[in-house]
Amino acid sequence: MFVACGPASGQQFNGRLMDAVRLTLLHEPQIGAANRQLMLSEGQLQATRGEFDTALSTGVELAQARSPLLQALQSPAASQVDSNTAAYLLGATTRLRSGVTVAPSIRINRVRDNISSLTSPATSTVALNFTVPLQKGSGARFNTAAERAAEQVLASADMNLRHTIASRISRSVNAYWDYLAALQALEIRRLSENRSLLLLDDARRLAKGDEIPQADVLQYEAQVARDRGLRIAAEQSLVEARTTLVLAMGIAGQPETSMPAPSDDFPELPAVVMETLSRPWPHSALAARFDVRAQQRRVDAAEILYEATRRDPVSQLDLTLSVGYSGLRENRSALAAWQALNAPAAGLNASIGMVYVLPVQGNAQAGLVRQRAALAEQARLELDGLMQAARATVSVQRASVSSAALQLEQARQQVRLQTQVFADERKKYRLGLATVLDLLTAEARLTADELGVIDARRRLAQALASYRFETATLLGADGDEQRITMESLTTLPELP
């Protein structure tokens, strides 16, 4: 499976979101493990098809024997039988998907002894053998069940790989937005610390001119210490967010300190696009989710095996057929014994027979049917549970996008208002109409509101990626080449 992810190239993270996606596809361990599972399923399918492979067999046997003769048969020239035997065998066995077994064979025997085979007769037997199951094991529906089930398992593994890719990409995208939010939050904390330092400088100047009490300066100094501590905590949060992104991309062995800052900004959601959230995602479209399709394939595989086992008779009745000819040549060397094939007897050899087997208790068949029925029912229940969870999760994520967009709008309004409040409180404080506590409280609220905007933008970006993942629109549709674009990571999907 090939997944293209836009124009990003190279083996390094250069700060772009598509870099994170590309590195995830190249290095994320879970994607590699899912790909190996796909290879395992391919091997299993190949192994089941091997049941219908043709097996060739050949052999050579040379023997020498010394056997004493009865006294009545002995003569002055021969008191024992000295024999030399050469046997050659060539055969093939093929089991057809109908259950019929075809086994052609050629056998040549050459015997030379000092009593009865002085002319070194070489005999040949050519036969075409058939075994036709009439009850148990009869028909392509039963004999190809394992192969057809393996095909479904392979398709399931392929869908599971796609689901894993989408899941890991969603994880990396969310980690990228966390990294960006931590970086912007650190910048806000630095600005807040700088504001506190400016307020402290103003307070010291006013206190030096006896315009404010000296005790007010201590409160400003305490605020600077608090803001400095929060800035240090934000620096640690940035380190943790960067490490999380590195792990999500699967490049934990590379140095983190040299990793550049994110260069892509949080996505915006136009108000006109928000109207699409008023319409729920069709439940019928959830069947396109890769995890649902993977589970459906597992259900199909289990039902194939169950139906084949349930319909297979308990008793076994096989018809055996054979047709061929025999030949004979004398006075030939061991290497020339094959010439017996060119001297057939008049007429063909033929045989027919039947073999019947009836398991009296039938426990093996009954037990296998129960196992296969339970596995099929278990797979169906898991599919039902997955569909229910998918419907609920999609509804939650749709509401999450809407809520995050509304919260972002309110957070921006709060920042606009609180910026004016802080400016007014600063003027009032200089005029003696506000206390230092009023000013510090206004500054703290402004910082909190600015951080709130960053958090709201982060949650909106992550909600969009999660909604894309839950609706199976993060990746493209079916096909070996699936394109992942910036649009598929940062916009609302279109309703199917």
Side-chain angles (χ1 to χ4, degrees):
M1 175 183 177
F2 172 74
V3 181
C5 54
S9 60
Q11 294 289 325
Q12 295 181 347
F13 177 74
N14 297 317
R16 299 177 60 245
L17 179 59
M18 296 308 297
D19 293 336
V21 172
R22 175 179 46 79
L23 290 171
T24 300
L25 294 172
L26 291 175
H27 303 292
E28 213 286 325
Q30 292 298 324
I31 294 178
N35 191 51
R36 298 307 180 274
Q37 182 62 45
L38 177 63
M39 296 171 62
L40 174 63
S41 298
E42 290 174 343
Q44 291 173 338
L45 174 58
Q46 186 177 9
T48 59
R49 287 174 174 167
E51 187 177 354
F52 306 106
D53 289 348
T54 297
L56 297 176
S57 60
T58 184
V60 178
E61 180 181 355
L62 302 177
Q64 179 179 281
R66 300 290 185 263
S67 303
L69 283 172
L70 294 175
Q71 188 172 5
L73 299 177
Q74 293 181 5
S75 67
S79 60
Q80 62 180 24
V81 178
D82 300 328
S83 62
N84 293 283
T85 304
Y88 308 93
L89 175 65
L90 177 63
T93 302
T94 302
R95 182 165 175 262
L96 305 180
R97 284 172 169 79
S98 61
V100 176
T101 300
V102 182
S105 65
I106 299 174
R107 185 175 184 87
I108 300 174
N109 291 300
R110 176 187 179 277
V111 179
R112 179 180 177 83
D113 62 41
N114 58 341
I115 301 297
S116 60
S117 301
L118 298 176
T119 59
S120 304
T123 60
S124 64
T125 303
V126 178
L128 182 59
N129 306 302
F130 298 90
T131 301
V132 183
L134 301 179
Q135 291 186 346
K136 188 176 183 62
S138 175
R141 189 178 188 85
F142 171 81
N143 290 284
T144 62
E147 181 183 9
R148 290 183 287 118
E151 289 173 349
Q152 297 300 320
V153 171
L154 175 59
S156 175
D158 181 53
M159 293 297 106
N160 185 66
L161 172 59
R162 298 171 192 270
H163 179 72
T164 301
I165 289 174
S167 172
R168 298 295 97 179
I169 289 176
S170 176
R171 176 170 172 257
S172 293
V173 169
N174 288 337
Y176 181 91
W177 297 134
D178 283 337
Y179 184 30
L180 177 60
L183 186 67
Q184 294 184 355
L186 175 59
E187 184 63 26
I188 294 296
R189 288 300 182 188
R190 286 171 175 165
L191 292 175
S192 177
E193 183 181 4
N194 291 335
R195 282 198 300 264
S196 297
L197 289 171
L198 291 175
L199 290 175
L200 176 60
D201 290 341
D202 288 345
R204 285 172 175 170
R205 185 172 57 254
L206 292 174
K208 188 175 182 180
D210 294 329
E211 298 183 38
I212 62 171
Q214 189 66 34
D216 285 359
V217 177
L218 294 177
Q219 296 189 53
Y220 285 110
E221 291 177 344
Q223 183 63 35
V224 169
R226 281 192 292 270
D227 287 341
R228 182 172 291 121
L230 291 173
R231 186 257 304 162
I232 294 172
E235 290 175 343
Q236 176 60 27
S237 297
L238 177 62
V239 172
E240 294 174 357
R242 183 167 55 224
T243 301
T244 300
L245 177 58
V246 166
L247 292 174
M249 293 187 296
I251 56 173
Q254 301 184 16
E256 301 173 13
T257 54
S258 62
M259 193 169 76
S263 57
D264 289 324
D265 197 8
F266 292 112
E268 297 291 338
L269 195 61
V272 64
V273 179
M274 290 288 294
E275 298 178 1
T276 61
L277 290 174
S278 61
R279 292 172 290 172
W281 194 262
H283 288 172
S284 58
L286 295 178
R289 284 173 52 123
F290 293 122
D291 55 343
V292 172
R293 292 161 67 183
Q295 183 59 33
Q296 181 61 60
R297 295 288 190 169
R298 288 192 285 270
V299 170
D300 294 342
E303 289 183 341
I304 286 172
L305 294 175
Y306 168 61
E307 286 298 319
T309 306
R310 184 179 66 87
R311 295 174 180 273
D312 193 38
V314 176
S315 60
Q316 181 175 349
L317 178 62
D318 293 343
L319 173 65
T320 59
L321 300 170
S322 179
V323 62
Y325 69 90
S326 299
L328 175 65
R329 279 286 190 184
E330 296 182 283
N331 298 314
R332 295 293 186 271
S333 66
L335 295 178
W338 61 269
Q339 295 180 8
L341 296 172
N342 297 329
L348 296 175
N349 301 331
S351 66
I352 184 171
M354 300 190 76
V355 178
Y356 181 71
V357 179
L358 176 63
V360 179
Q361 285 79 19
N363 288 325
Q365 177 79 359
L368 186 58
V369 169
R370 293 182 63 183
Q371 292 179 47
R372 296 283 170 79
L375 289 173
E377 182 62 22
Q378 182 185 45
R380 284 191 290 269
L381 291 173
E382 290 174 352
L383 177 60
D384 292 341
L386 182 60
M387 286 293 292
Q388 293 176 13
R391 283 192 286 267
T393 305
V394 168
S395 298
V396 170
Q397 289 300 330
R398 181 170 60 87
S400 179
V401 173
S402 179
S403 175
L406 294 175
Q407 291 181 58
L408 175 58
E409 181 181 352
Q410 293 302 313
R412 283 172 168 165
Q413 178 68 10
Q414 288 176 229
V415 168
R416 287 192 293 269
L417 296 174
Q418 193 60 36
T419 300
Q420 185 61 45
V421 168
F422 176 68
D424 293 343
E425 289 295 329
R426 193 169 183 179
K427 293 178 182 178
K428 289 165 61 179
Y429 178 74
R430 289 182 174 180
L431 296 174
L433 301 177
T435 66
V436 63
L437 182 61
D438 294 333
L439 183 58
L440 294 178
T441 300
E443 195 279 334
R445 287 178 177 173
L446 176 58
T447 300
D449 290 341
E450 289 173 338
L451 292 173
V453 170
I454 294 174
D455 187 62
R457 296 190 72 190
R458 174 189 64 82
R459 284 187 283 108
L460 176 59
Q462 292 179 338
L464 286 171
S466 297
Y467 189 49
R468 281 273 189 174
F469 168 69
E470 295 297 340
T471 55
T473 55
L474 193 62
L475 301 181
D478 289 337
D480 291 334
E481 297 185 4
Q482 302 202 28
R483 296 202 57 83
I484 304 171
T485 63
M486 196 69 178
E487 180 181 1
S488 66
L489 299 174
T490 56
T491 62
L492 279 174
E494 297 181 358
L495 288 172

